Amino acid sequence: MRSKIVAAVVLASGGAVIALPLIAQTGPGAPVARYDMRAGTVSGMAGMGGGMGGAMSMMMGGGRSNNVQHELYLRLGSTQAPPKGAAKADHFPPPAAKLGKSVALTTPREERGTEELPQRPKGRMLIYWGCGEHAPKGQPVVIDFARVAAGQMPPGLWTSTIIRDWGPNLQNSRTFGRWPSEDGKYVKPDTMLPGPHRVASNYAPEMNFTLTKDFMAALRVNTSSLPSGASMARWSGIPEATGYLAGLFGGKMGPGGEMGDMVMWSSSATRQFGGGLTDWLSPGQAATLVRDRTLLAPTATSCTIPAEVIRDAGDFRVGTLTAFGPEEDFSYPPRPATGPWKLEWTARIRHRSTTSWMSAPGMGGMGMGGASEGEDRGSGNSGRQNCRPRGGLGGMLGGALGGGGGC
């Protein structure tokens, strides 16, 4: 089996460059069709996501500190074309999903791999990484946006080793369908995933599989200031978490209200940013990244954000925490005892839970279900909403700190 990787580079208004690989699988042993499901729990001030589908990122509706939302993305790719007429595909969920008889997987005309923003960023980006009261020597790495605009990107800044795996897409499939789509349906506050699922189309074999895992629990974060100027972030652990990644984005206002220096920090001890870290990671990937300290361990419940990060972030700070979760995999037919395995289809569902918070000098924290300075706020109701296009600050933060939804 061979893989073809095509990277698209995005220069966001915050100066963040994001690698978006497209992974195509062909050759002997490859399935006729592949199905990808991503189920996320989003709490806090923002649902961070980004996308191959043109909706690179969005801000999911504010609300109070106990706001919890769910997101669900479905993608079907096939090596076959419809025998005649237009492509048609539907996902039939169990009654507990409360999405009606089925949801329609729409075949788009195109999927945009890059997002062009109208203005070049100004100023600098200061890059920090690792937990601790103070940043070690060698930090921050400073990016001058003027040099970036001239093509002078510092080498090795954004991870190329952690592939952002979107699974099926328009470019690596002969026929492709996705949801949310134009059927006007979205996951509801009482949507549940466990139970039998069926995917039927006129361009791929029919798929039948039974899910056992529901959406992950919502994250709860508490932040407090330390005498050193650092900030301590603590959270309640999630039993199914396979690893955690924290991030912070901030900046100072320049003349005329324009953004001046920006700061980006990650809890990764290996200076890893972007790539697959902004996506849904499999348990196997997460275990490897925990071992090399790119991710915090599943047992971690705190991380100290260095004083230098808090100092340089200045006028506003947005923090994020992601718990990567379990995965369920299915395939048909079963592997034979001998001889070649001619797969008709494979399906997988990946899980994660993400929260975010905002704080600024003199305003404490705006937890919105995520965190607040010196006050622990939990998640109460389940006002789950689904994918809506977004841009601006939401797009910048989504790409830089942990987006990965996509419509």
Side-chain angles (χ1 to χ4, degrees):
M1 183 179 297
R2 61 185 177 87
S3 295
K4 179 180 179 183
I5 301 176
V6 182
V9 176
V10 179
L11 177 62
S13 58
V17 179
I18 307 143
L20 303 178
L22 310 181
I23 303 174
Q25 296 181 330
T26 59
V32 174
R34 294 176 295 145
Y35 198 54
D36 181 85
M37 300 178 63
R38 282 166 286 158
T41 301
V42 184
S43 60
M45 57 155 278
M48 305 270 180
M52 306 293 296
M56 177 178 170
S57 48
M58 70 182 192
M59 276 290 182
M60 276 182 161
R64 293 189 55 81
S65 63
N66 60 0
N67 190 42
V68 178
Q69 304 161 0
H70 280 184
E71 54 187 354
L72 181 64
Y73 306 103
L74 312 177
R75 301 172 76 87
L76 172 64
S78 176
T79 60
Q80 299 177 342
K84 60 180 180 179
K88 177 177 172 53
D90 291 274
H91 181 123
F92 296 82
K98 298 187 177 180
L99 289 170
K101 181 180 179 181
S102 67
V103 296
L105 305 174
T106 299
T107 298
R109 292 185 178 180
E110 64 178 353
E111 282 201 307
R112 295 177 59 190
T114 60
E115 181 90 1
E116 295 294 336
L117 297 170
Q119 295 182 349
R120 290 183 177 181
K122 300 178 182 179
R124 306 181 305 167
M125 173 77 82
L126 310 182
I127 304 294
Y128 291 94
W129 61 95
C131 300
E133 285 201 49
H134 291 283
K137 292 182 179 180
Q139 297 188 31
V141 171
V142 179
I143 302 174
D144 188 321
F145 290 154
R147 293 186 178 182
V148 171
Q152 301 177 31
M153 172 58 62
L157 180 60
W158 310 104
T159 179
S160 60
T161 59
I162 307 171
I163 295 175
R164 191 172 190 181
D165 181 3
W166 286 82
N169 58 53
L170 192 62
Q171 286 73 33
N172 65 23
S173 307
R174 185 172 182 182
T175 311
F176 170 69
R178 69 184 182 197
W179 184 87
S181 63
E182 289 76 12
D183 64 358
K185 295 182 179 181
Y186 304 95
V187 287
K188 297 178 174 61
D190 53 356
T191 292
M192 299 176 67
L193 297 176
H197 292 250
R198 181 168 69 93
V199 181
S201 72
N202 62 356
Y203 56 86
E206 182 172 305
M207 304 178 182
N208 290 274
F209 51 90
T210 299
L211 299 181
T212 63
K213 298 186 181 299
D214 207 349
F215 293 99
M216 293 177 70
L219 284 166
R220 301 169 57 199
V221 180
N222 169 271
T223 63
S224 58
S225 297
L226 301 180
S228 62
S231 178
M232 173 66 75
R234 295 184 176 89
W235 57 89
S236 54
I238 297 179
E240 290 187 311
T242 56
Y244 294 92
L245 181 71
L248 184 140
F249 189 95
K252 296 181 178 179
M253 300 303 294
E258 293 185 352
M259 184 62 68
D261 282 352
M262 300 180 187
V263 172
M264 188 164 66
W265 167 84
S266 165
S267 61
S268 167
T270 58
R271 205 184 87 168
Q272 298 274 17
F273 292 89
L277 287 176
T278 64
D279 211 330
W280 274 254
L281 297 177
S282 70
Q285 287 177 300
T288 299
L289 296 173
V290 167
R291 284 195 296 270
D292 69 14
R293 299 175 61 215
T294 297
L295 295 183
L296 300 173
T299 55
T301 56
S302 67
C303 175
T304 302
I305 304 172
E308 293 79 8
V309 175
I310 301 302
R311 177 198 66 202
D312 293 342
D315 298 330
F316 76 90
R317 300 187 295 270
V318 176
T320 65
L321 178 67
T322 298
F324 298 101
E327 176 177 329
E328 293 188 82
D329 295 277
F330 307 89
S331 61
Y332 184 84
R335 181 190 292 270
T338 60
W341 188 14
K342 297 182 179 180
L343 281 170
E344 292 186 19
W345 57 264
T346 60
R348 69 177 178 184
I349 177 167
R350 293 172 289 175
H351 295 260
R352 75 177 186 186
S353 181
T354 303
T355 193
S356 56
W357 64 94
M358 177 179 287
S359 62
M363 65 174 283
M366 293 175 60
M368 318 268 306
S372 61
E373 293 285 351
E375 180 182 0
D376 191 303
R377 296 186 176 183
S379 57
N381 65 25
S382 299
R384 287 166 271 181
Q385 299 175 8
N386 207 70
C387 180
R388 297 196 298 268
R390 63 178 176 173
L393 177 63
M396 179 171 62
L397 298 177
L401 295 178
C407 295

